[in-house]
Amino acid sequence: MRILVVEDDKKTASFIAKALKEEGFVVDILADGDEALAAIKATTFDAVILDIMLMGRDGLSVVRQLRAGANRTPVLLVSARGEVNEKVEGLNAGADDYLPKPFALDELIARVRALLRRGGPAGNPTLRLANLTLDTTTLVALRGDRKIELSAREFRLLEYLMRSAGRVCSRAMILEKVWDYDFDPGTNLIDVYIGKLREKIDTRTDAKLLHSVRGVGYTMKEPL
Amino acid sequence: MTILRKIAVGYSVVAALSVVMVAWLGYHEFVEEPAEYAAKGLPDLHQDTAPEASAVIFCGLVPVLLGCGWWWLHRVLVPLRTLTRAVEELDTHNLHQPIPRTLNGDEVDKLTAGFNTMTARLDRSFQQIREFTLQASHELKTPLTVMRGQLDGALRDGDALPPDQRQWMESQLGEIERLGKIVDSLTLLTRADAGALTLQHQPTELGELVREAVEDAQILAQSAGITVTLDPCQDVQVNGDRHRLRQLLLILTDNAVKYNWSGGFIRFALRNAAGNAELRVTNSGVGVAAGSPDRVFERFVRGENAQAKVEGSGLGLSIAKSIVTAHGGTIEFESEHGKETRLTVRLPATTKPHETSGGQLPEGAI
C-alpha cells in the first residue's frame, strides 16, 4: 500500500510518515500543492493525506482538480485552520474524509485504513459477525437465537461497527457517523453507549465481539 | 435637567415676561390712556377699534406662539434623540454601521460625524484583535500538532519506557489535547464575534434533535440517578445549521448533567410560542448566586460551585450564546440559588403552532 503525504511542515510530515511506515505502508512526502497534483496524476497511490494550507496550490484546489479529472484516489484532508464548516467545504470539493489538527496518530491511521476499505459491499441489508446478525430492514438484532432489544441510537451504533468490522473505529469517527457531530462533545457518551451495547450482545458468552482499543476507540471482530 | 427642559423653562420665562409686558402695554394703551384723554376732555383715538377684539387677538396669539415654540424645540432636538438611540444600540457587532447623518451642518450633525469617526476607529481595533486571534489560533495549531504527534509516536513505540515516564508523557498528551480544544473554541467564538460564523442553513425539525439530545441526557445522567423528562415536545421547524444546533443542545445537556445533584432532575420542554421555537432546559442543582446570572455567558466565567468540582473550559455557554445569536435567537439564564437553573432558548420558527406529541419518553426507549 502506497500513501502520499502532502504537508508543508517538515516535522509534521515526518512523524506522520514514521507512523505510517510502522504500520507497513510505503510513504512518499511532498510539500507543494502543484507538485502533489502532478504526482497523483502520474503515479497510483492507494490514498493521499493532504494538508489544506500548502505552498503553491492549496489542498482544496488539488482535490477539485483531481475530481474534475475523474481521478478517484481516496483523499484525507487535514487542516489547522479549524473553521467549523471547513469539513463540509472539503467534502464538497471531493475529499473522502477530513481531520482537523492537532490529531492523534491512531486517529489518522484508523481513518486511512477506513479510506482503503472504501467501496466495499455496503448495500447488504443483513450484517453478520460470528453468530450476531443485524437486519437493517426489519431492525432486528439476533445473537444466536436470542433477540436483542436496541434503541434507535444503539442500533445505528451497532450497524456502523458491524459495517466496519475488522478495523478500528475511533471515537471521533463514531461521533461523526452515528451522532452526526462534527465537534468533540467532551463527554464519555460513546463509552457509556458501548457499555450498554456490550452488556446486550456480549454478556452470557465467552466469544466477545466488541473490543476496546486503548486510547483510540472500538472495534468489532470475530472471536479468535 | 434635560436640555429640552432647560430650553423649555427659559422659553416659558421669556414668554411669560412678554405676556406681562404685552398685558401692561395693552392696559396702558386701551384703559389708562383713554381714561386720561377722557379726563382731559380730549377725543379717544381708539374709538374706531373695539378693545375686546384687540384683547382676543393678543390673548389668542400667546398660546399659538407657545405651541409653535414647543413644536420647533421638539423638531430641533429630533436628531439628538436619534443619535442617542443609535448610540444605545451600538455594541461590538455593529460598530461598522455608521449612524445616519442629517448633513445639514448643525451641531448635532457634526457630533454624529465625529462619533462615526470614533466608532470606525474602534471597529478597526476590534477587527485587528479578531484577525490576530484567528491568526494566533492557526499559528498555535502547527506546534500543537507536532508536539502531539511526536509524543504520540514516542508512546506508540515506547513499550520499554519506565512506567513513570510513560505516565508523564500521557499527562502531557492530555494537556496538549486540552489546549487544542481551547484553541478550537476560541476560533469559533472569534468567528462568531466577527459575524463570520458560516452556517449551513436548512429547514430543521428541532423536535427530532431535542428528542435525540434527551436520549443522550438520559444515558449521561443515569449513573448519577438523575431523572430526565421531555414535556411537551411540540413540532417546530427552524431554519438552522444542524451541526451547530446539535452542538448547542449538547452544551445545554452536558451542563444540566454536570451542574446537578445526584438524584436530581432535568426537564426539557420544546414549545412553539409566538413564532418562536422555545426550548427550556431546567435542572436541579446549586445554580448561580444572585447578581451574576448574565455573566455565565462571558468567556472563561464559571459558577463558583463549578470551579473545583466540575471539569470544563468555561467556554460552553459562550459558544451556546454565539450559536443562538448567529441563528437570530435569544438565550436566557435564570437561576434560583440552591434550587434550580433554567436556560431558555428562543429561535425564530418557520412553521405554525401544531402540537403532536409530548410526555415522558417511554421506559423502553433507552
Side-chain angles (χ1 to χ4, degrees):
Chain A
M1 290 280 184
R2 188 166 177 190
I3 293 176
L4 174 66
V5 176
V6 191
E7 165 66 65
D8 62 353
D9 182 73
K10 272 192 189 137
K11 286 186 179 173
T12 308
S14 118
F15 77 71
I16 292 177
K18 182 167 175 278
L20 288 172
K21 278 176 193 158
E22 280 168 7
E23 293 289 315
F25 295 104
V26 177
V27 186
D28 296 76
I29 300 176
L30 285 175
D32 182 285
D34 291 300
E35 280 174 30
L37 184 60
I40 302 166
K41 280 180 175 167
T43 323
T44 311
F45 290 101
D46 294 291
V48 180
I49 297 172
L50 186 62
D51 191 13
I52 290 188
M53 303 275 248
L54 289 172
M55 289 182 270
R57 190 187 285 275
D58 75 59
L60 288 174
S61 156
V62 173
V63 185
R64 278 195 204 100
Q65 284 296 314
L66 280 179
R67 299 306 184 231
N71 184 317
R72 304 296 318 158
T73 309
V75 172
L76 167 63
L77 282 177
V78 290
S79 170
R81 257 165 52 187
E83 295 184 17
V84 272
N85 277 311
E86 200 178 38
K87 182 182 167 186
V88 178
E89 210 182 323
L91 298 187
N92 284 343
D96 300 273
D97 201 357
Y98 169 92
L99 186 60
K101 283 182 183 176
F103 47 76
L105 278 174
D106 289 322
E107 178 80 45
L108 180 81
I109 287 158
R111 283 174 192 265
V112 169
R113 290 206 184 279
L115 280 191
L116 296 172
R117 302 280 179 97
R118 201 181 51 124
N124 193 347
T126 310
L127 303 168
R128 271 191 197 88
L129 186 70
N131 65 345
L132 175 67
T133 341
L134 193 69
D135 191 323
T136 54
T137 45
T138 59
L139 305 181
V140 172
L142 291 171
R143 180 85 207 252
D145 303 326
R146 184 167 59 91
K147 193 164 183 273
I148 302 166
E149 293 294 334
L150 297 171
S151 75
R153 185 85 90 189
E154 285 165 352
F155 193 92
R156 282 212 299 269
L157 176 59
L158 185 58
E159 181 184 346
Y160 173 64
L161 290 170
M162 283 182 78
R163 283 198 192 282
S164 324
R167 74 189 127 89
V168 178
C169 300
S170 72
R171 285 188 181 78
M173 286 159 80
I174 296 174
L175 279 170
E176 277 173 33
K177 299 287 197 261
V178 182
W179 269 265
D180 192 24
Y181 282 178
D182 66 346
F183 52 91
D184 181 351
T187 65
N188 60 347
L189 196 58
I190 291 182
D191 307 273
V192 182
Y193 266 99
I194 291 276
K196 292 178 82 73
L197 196 57
R198 186 174 271 157
E199 219 169 84
K200 289 182 181 181
I201 63 168
D202 270 351
T203 43
R204 292 186 256 169
T205 169
D206 284 332
K208 309 282 184 214
L209 300 176
L210 184 49
H211 304 270
S212 307
V213 182
R214 198 168 165 272
V216 193
Y218 297 94
T219 185
M220 284 193 86
K221 58 184 177 204
E222 299 262 358
L224 295 171
Chain B
M1 202 186 249
T2 62
I3 293 181
L4 178 66
R5 220 171 267 168
K6 277 183 199 162
I7 296 175
V9 167
Y11 180 76
S12 311
V13 169
V14 171
L17 284 175
S18 316
V19 168
V20 170
M21 266 177 74
V22 167
W24 181 78
L25 279 173
Y27 178 76
H28 180 74
E29 183 85 355
F30 297 110
V31 184
E32 274 184 0
E33 259 186 17
E36 213 174 294
Y37 277 53
K40 289 179 183 165
L42 291 168
D44 184 0
L45 292 172
H46 294 288
Q47 252 173 1
D48 49 332
T49 19
E52 296 82 7
S54 305
V56 166
I57 291 170
F58 272 114
C59 293
L61 216 55
V62 171
V64 169
L65 279 174
L66 274 171
C68 288
W70 187 248
W71 171 80
W72 179 245
L73 252 177
H74 260 268
R75 228 187 88 97
V76 166
L77 289 176
V78 163
L80 210 54
R81 272 198 293 272
T82 317
L83 182 66
T84 313
R85 255 199 311 276
V87 171
E88 275 168 359
E89 280 164 14
L90 264 188
D91 62 28
T92 52
H93 303 284
N94 54 14
L95 276 178
H96 58 280
Q97 290 164 346
I99 296 166
R101 288 175 55 185
T102 52
L103 291 175
N104 59 9
D106 68 4
E107 290 82 349
V108 178
D109 185 49
K110 280 179 191 152
L111 179 64
T112 313
F115 195 82
N116 281 344
T117 320
M118 182 188 79
T119 50
R121 274 201 304 269
L122 266 177
D123 188 42
R124 264 199 305 282
S125 328
F126 275 111
Q127 195 68 31
Q128 278 164 359
I129 294 170
R130 282 180 204 131
E131 276 163 19
F132 170 77
T133 315
L134 283 179
Q135 192 63 31
S137 304
H138 173 235
E139 292 298 330
L140 281 170
K141 288 278 183 68
T142 308
L144 276 175
T145 308
V146 175
M147 280 159 79
R148 180 161 182 180
Q150 288 180 342
L151 263 175
D152 235 3
L155 277 167
R156 277 163 68 88
D157 29 67
D159 288 338
L161 283 173
D164 55 339
Q165 200 170 339
R166 194 177 177 89
Q167 212 175 7
W168 176 82
M169 283 164 82
E170 273 166 2
S171 144
Q172 294 291 303
L173 207 54
E175 293 305 310
I176 292 172
E177 230 170 286
R178 208 169 92 176
L179 207 53
K181 274 181 202 164
I182 294 176
V183 172
D184 276 342
S185 304
L186 283 179
T187 314
L188 189 137
L189 287 168
T190 313
R191 292 237 138 242
D193 281 351
L197 195 61
T198 36
L199 296 177
Q200 310 275 320
H201 281 289
Q202 56 184 20
T204 309
E205 283 299 337
L206 199 58
E208 275 173 33
L209 301 190
V210 170
R211 266 181 229 117
E212 287 184 1
V214 170
E215 197 188 329
D216 287 344
Q218 284 172 328
I219 292 282
L220 287 171
Q222 216 167 30
S223 60
I226 298 166
T227 323
V228 184
T229 55
L230 171 61
D231 184 29
C233 182
Q234 298 181 343
D235 271 357
V236 48
Q237 204 182 55
V238 296
N239 190 24
D241 184 313
R242 215 177 63 239
H243 285 115
R244 300 286 75 76
L245 292 175
R246 280 189 200 280
Q247 189 170 9
L248 166 71
L249 286 168
L250 183 91
I251 292 169
L252 301 186
T253 306
D254 194 38
N255 275 345
V257 175
K258 274 198 223 157
Y259 303 117
N260 213 320
W261 288 313
S262 68
F265 65 84
I266 305 173
R267 289 197 294 260
F268 285 82
L270 178 65
R271 286 188 185 84
N272 193 331
N276 276 322
E278 187 189 271
L279 172 74
R280 272 180 193 210
V281 184
T282 316
N283 67 274
S284 53
V286 177
V288 169
S292 60
D294 281 336
R295 293 200 65 216
V296 296
F297 297 111
E298 286 173 26
R299 276 140 222 205
F300 298 113
V301 168
R302 306 179 63 205
E304 81 276 18
N305 64 316
Q307 296 291 359
K309 283 182 285 178
V310 186
E311 201 180 303
S313 62
L315 287 172
L317 282 179
S318 311
I319 294 176
K321 188 173 184 179
S322 294
I323 294 173
V324 172
T325 313
H327 280 86
T330 58
I331 184 165
E332 205 180 300
F333 178 92
E334 295 159 88
S335 177
E336 208 173 315
H337 193 46
K339 201 172 163 215
E340 62 179 47
T341 300
R342 176 187 294 154
L343 272 147
T344 310
V345 172
R346 289 185 188 87
L347 298 170
T350 53
T351 45
K352 298 235 150 55
H354 170 60
E355 184 165 0
T356 54
S357 63
Q360 193 162 352
L361 280 191
E363 279 302 307
I366 22 168

